[in-house]
Amino acid sequence: MAFWQTQLPFSVFLFFCITVLVSSGSIRHYTPPSVTHLTDLFPKIPVSDGYSNFYGDSHIKLTSNGSIATLTLDKSSGSGLASKNKYQYGFFSAAIKLPSGLSSGVVVAFYLSNADDFPHNHDEIDIELLGHDRRKDWIFQTNVYANGSVNTGREEKFYLWFDPTTQHHHYSILWNSHHIVFFVDNVPVREFPRNNAVFPLKPMSVYATIWDGSQWATHGGKYPVNYKNAPFTASFTEMEMNGCVYSKQNDSVSLCSKKNNPSSLDPVEGHEFATLSKQQVTAMDWARRKLMLYSYCKDTSRFKVLPPECK
């Protein structure tokens, strides 16, 4: 038997293994614990009913009778949506499908903010999905600001346990007077209690955006957006905004005018949303042990004195 014939089976096997590793990147394929699907408890609204164009109009497309929005980033512009209402607490969720391929520097965000009304002391609750280089993971980043505390980011970063580019996955925020909780596919990954020194209290709008975060998003800005891979397109659907719709009376007195949730479940005042269930605590512990790659509370090189809530 010729030499090449004896080596062929191993060579084919080795090539197959390398191909699988390269194509799958470093995505962690875990099976998460069972949890209550909060996204099944509240009504979903068409994007066209709940949101208006924020910027990049030509890069926004609505399909399926306004229930799906595709937002695009290219060299000319990013794009974004803003909720038609402002909210004082609630449950907010979007099913998002991220851009495929190399996406270094790209940021897809689903977040609450009131920077338009309070430019010097705004609040913000962020979900930011950070693009990758060399076929590595998208990163799920969370952050909380209050009263303009932008110089003290409270970031926590997580790997995902699935490929977020092949289908839509749910990314959700629960915000009420008790705590802020971040969810991925209904699994809680972070809880930010009200007793923290920083906690958003002012009404906020909800935003869905895609933009160029070259200066910081991927390895601290080491890998900027490569527009040879553009356009980058993110798809948003199954939008949920359930809570207290904010309004003003006489331009001075704030009112919670209505709760846009026809069910008996209340994410603002309901006791079942005041604390995490035992099932949710177990799931959050799993996510933080398996998937968290950064927490500001452990960054002693960044903070000589850790923020008070870290203690």
Side-chain angles (χ1 to χ4, degrees):
M1 185 177 291
F3 173 78
W4 66 269
Q5 290 176 308
T6 63
Q7 297 299 309
L8 181 60
F10 177 75
S11 300
V12 172
F13 174 75
L14 182 62
F15 175 78
F16 173 78
C17 291
I18 293 173
T19 301
V20 170
L21 287 171
V22 169
S23 63
S24 63
S26 54
I27 294 169
R28 291 149 178 78
H29 294 285
Y30 293 120
T31 300
S34 297
V35 290
T36 299
H37 284 200
L38 296 184
T39 53
D40 293 340
L41 303 181
F42 301 107
K44 298 170 177 60
I45 61 172
V47 178
S48 55
D49 287 355
Y51 290 83
S52 301
N53 290 0
F54 181 38
Y55 69 99
D57 291 8
S58 63
H59 289 55
I60 300 171
K61 292 184 179 179
L62 298 181
T63 58
S64 300
N65 295 319
S67 64
I68 300 175
T70 54
L71 307 183
T72 298
L73 166 69
D74 60 23
K75 200 166 186 178
S76 65
S77 177
S79 51
L81 303 167
S83 63
K84 295 178 180 179
N85 292 319
K86 299 180 188 296
Y87 294 86
Q88 181 76 58
Y89 303 139
F91 179 77
F92 311 94
S93 185
I96 307 172
K97 181 181 177 183
L98 297 179
S100 59
L102 299 181
S103 53
S104 60
V106 176
V107 179
V108 177
F110 180 69
Y111 65 103
L112 292 91
S113 177
N114 50 31
D116 54 340
D117 292 324
F118 304 96
H120 303 297
N121 62 335
H122 83 283
D123 304 320
E124 200 167 303
I125 303 173
D126 294 340
I127 286 176
E128 293 169 321
L129 295 144
L130 311 181
H132 61 86
D133 66 294
R134 300 176 185 175
R135 296 181 179 86
K136 294 183 180 179
D137 311 69
W138 279 83
I139 299 299
F140 175 82
Q141 175 170 284
T142 64
N143 208 343
V144 177
Y145 299 115
N147 293 317
S149 61
V150 294
N151 292 326
T152 306
R154 286 165 167 79
E155 303 95 338
E156 287 193 343
K157 298 181 181 181
F158 301 83
Y159 294 114
L160 299 170
W161 58 91
F162 50 80
D163 183 348
T165 69
T166 59
Q167 61 186 27
H168 290 85
H169 290 269
H170 292 100
Y171 304 90
S172 313
I173 296 167
L174 173 65
W175 170 45
N176 58 34
S177 61
H178 306 285
H179 55 185
I180 297 165
V181 186
F182 297 89
F183 302 84
V184 178
D185 278 347
N186 292 286
V187 174
V189 300
R190 180 183 184 183
E191 182 183 26
F192 195 82
R194 170 69 182 273
N195 59 9
N196 283 339
V198 171
F199 197 86
L201 297 173
K202 298 186 290 292
M204 292 190 278
S205 299
V206 188
Y207 296 89
T209 60
I210 183 170
W211 47 282
D212 185 329
S214 290
Q215 293 183 342
W216 64 273
T218 306
H219 296 293
K222 182 178 180 181
Y223 298 101
V225 175
N226 184 347
Y227 284 103
K228 292 181 180 179
N229 300 318
F232 305 97
T233 299
S235 173
F236 290 76
T237 189
E238 297 188 9
M239 312 300 279
E240 298 179 51
M241 296 186 290
N242 302 279
C244 175
V245 177
Y246 170 83
S247 65
K248 286 185 176 181
Q249 185 180 48
N250 300 324
D251 294 325
S252 60
V253 180
S254 63
L255 295 175
C256 184
S257 61
K258 62 178 179 177
K259 294 191 174 78
N260 63 335
N261 171 26
S263 76
S264 60
L265 294 171
D266 183 0
V268 177
E269 300 294 344
H271 67 88
E272 62 267 63
F273 298 98
T275 60
L276 296 177
S277 68
K278 291 183 179 180
Q279 184 189 56
Q280 289 174 320
V281 170
T282 298
M284 186 171 69
D285 178 66
W286 170 85
R288 296 179 73 81
R289 285 187 292 105
K290 294 280 190 181
L291 301 165
M292 188 168 69
L293 68 124
Y294 175 83
S295 173
Y296 73 104
C297 280
K298 297 181 180 180
D299 194 343
T300 54
S301 62
R302 177 181 172 191
F303 299 104
K304 292 182 180 179
V305 178
L306 291 174
E309 66 269 17
C310 295
K311 301 175 182 178

